[in-house]
Amino acid sequence: MPLLRRLVLLLALGGAPVVLLAQSPDTVKVGLWLKSLYDMDLSGGAYNTNFWLWFVYRSDSIAPAESAEVTNAKAFEFAQASVEKKGGLNWASQEVRAEMKQIWDVNYFPFDRQVLTIEVEDAQNDLESVVYLADTANSTYSKEIELDGWKIESFEVSTTQHHYATNFGDPTLAEGGSDYPQLTAQLTIRRNGWGLFFKLFTGVYVAFFISWLAFFVPPTEVDPRFGLSVGGLFGAVGNKYLVDSILPDIISTSLSDRIHGLTFAMLLSNVVVSVISLYYAKQERTATYKRIDRTAAAVLVVIFLIINVIFIAQAAR
């Protein structure tokens, strides 16, 4: 608990007010070295990480390593903590093992870019007592980190203040809010998604072309004509369930939703055209239903391919 939190504190002693000037906050240089990343769980909204965290400061009255916490972690623990005197400064370091919460942006999955954020905050000392200064020169990530299917684009650390709309009941703080020092580390990664894309979405394209083959079957052959469309529909639905099982639930429309939605629309169009062709075949208007089948086969496949190219180009840019 800091000794003085206000710029001026008036105390009534013997009927005379005594003015005490607040002390300047202690400056703490904070750095982070990212050691490893693993178990990236899209559906569970989490990943695991190990990193080293250090604090360099002058005052012996504070212990920032002991009051630090990882605020956006599901769970964390400190290990190998040490404090040493180095050239008149205190150097505290410790390893942190954490399961981090992560809101994955999967709108363009599997061509997604993710920003993994680690937030370290002083849980006891507010900004009137301690100020963080980022050790940008020494904060980085291990070059031995290998993320299968991902490319690391950037890493940066910065300091900010975390505002809480409460003073947590502390009578020495102003009502309605308090600010605490925070270090933020951000690792930006991008997925190399082409291999995963073909693994996950080949099924939906096969389903479409199975249904599309129905245009080359006479509509009077009802079982094979409509059986191809139904088979394609089941294939597309199964593929969507497979992809959705990997991804978290989101409100927005992802690339997967757009591709599957387009495929369902095309499959429905195939069935509608087959019904129309069957009607003209029953009327013995052979030339008419053949013209409808030829036109639909060409138009629908062109529309399907062009829209897919647009969707994929937008995601992979």
Side-chain angles (χ1 to χ4, degrees):
M1 180 67 67
L3 296 176
L4 300 175
R5 299 178 180 270
R6 323 298 292 168
L7 178 62
V8 177
L9 177 64
L10 298 179
L11 298 177
L13 296 176
V18 177
V19 178
L20 298 177
L21 296 181
Q23 296 174 336
S24 299
D26 292 308
T27 299
V28 179
K29 196 170 188 178
V30 188
L32 185 151
W33 183 72
L34 193 61
K35 181 180 179 181
S36 63
L37 287 170
Y38 54 98
D39 293 345
M40 299 173 67
D41 184 2
L42 291 183
S43 59
Y47 68 92
N48 288 310
T49 181
N50 287 16
F51 58 92
W52 279 92
L53 184 66
W54 62 87
F55 305 85
V56 180
Y57 53 98
R58 189 173 299 277
S59 174
D60 294 331
S61 63
I62 60 174
E66 297 179 7
S67 58
E69 68 174 3
V70 185
T71 56
N72 63 330
K74 290 185 176 181
F76 67 92
E77 62 177 358
F78 296 130
Q80 305 186 62
S82 67
V83 180
E84 300 179 46
K85 278 286 188 180
K86 297 281 187 176
L89 296 174
N90 295 295
W91 171 46
S93 64
Q94 55 196 0
E95 184 180 6
V96 185
R97 301 163 187 167
E99 181 185 10
M100 306 299 299
K101 294 179 289 186
Q102 176 70 21
I103 299 177
W104 302 101
D105 181 0
V106 294
N107 285 320
Y108 295 127
F109 174 88
F111 304 105
D112 47 320
R113 177 187 282 110
Q114 306 293 339
V115 180
L116 308 183
T117 303
I118 299 172
E119 297 172 348
V120 178
E121 184 177 312
D122 195 309
Q124 296 181 10
N125 303 302
D126 66 3
L127 281 176
E128 294 186 15
S129 302
V130 169
V131 173
Y132 278 178
L133 176 65
D135 188 354
T136 55
N138 297 297
S139 296
T140 185
Y141 61 92
S142 172
K143 305 308 177 186
E144 297 180 358
I145 293 178
E146 294 184 2
L147 302 176
D148 187 26
W150 295 88
K151 176 185 177 182
I152 297 177
E153 291 190 335
S154 65
F155 178 83
E156 60 182 14
V157 295
S158 61
T159 55
T160 184
Q161 61 185 46
H162 190 176
H163 178 75
Y164 294 93
T166 177
N167 64 0
F168 300 100
D170 189 336
T172 64
L173 292 178
E175 293 184 359
S178 54
D179 299 288
Y180 289 79
Q182 184 180 89
L183 175 79
T184 301
Q186 291 186 323
L187 182 76
T188 302
I189 57 177
R190 185 180 181 91
R191 193 191 302 270
N192 300 318
W194 283 109
L196 185 59
F197 176 82
F198 287 116
K199 287 181 181 179
L200 293 178
F201 291 94
T202 297
V204 76
Y205 294 121
V206 170
F208 168 78
F209 283 105
I210 287 175
S211 176
W212 179 73
L213 290 175
F215 291 123
F216 301 95
V217 177
T220 52
E221 300 292 333
V222 175
D223 288 344
R225 174 83 181 219
F226 287 89
L228 287 172
S229 296
V230 172
L233 178 61
F234 277 108
V237 171
N239 190 262
K240 179 167 176 55
Y241 276 114
L242 171 65
V243 177
D244 286 350
S245 68
I246 301 173
L247 303 179
D249 293 330
I250 59 174
I251 298 176
S252 57
T253 304
S254 66
L255 173 64
S256 172
D257 294 329
R258 291 191 286 273
I259 290 177
H260 284 98
L262 172 65
T263 304
F264 293 146
M266 293 294 103
L267 295 178
L268 177 60
S269 299
N270 290 355
V271 172
V272 171
V273 172
S274 293
V275 171
I276 295 173
S277 294
L278 178 60
Y279 170 79
Y280 285 111
K282 294 293 186 181
Q283 301 295 322
E284 298 184 354
R285 297 171 63 176
T286 303
T288 301
Y289 85 69
K290 286 185 176 181
R291 183 171 65 254
I292 292 174
D293 282 352
R294 287 195 301 269
T295 302
V299 171
L300 291 179
V301 74
V302 169
I303 291 175
F304 182 75
L305 293 176
I306 289 177
I307 297 179
N308 264 277
V309 169
I310 294 173
F311 286 162
I312 296 169
Q314 290 175 341
R317 67 185 188 277

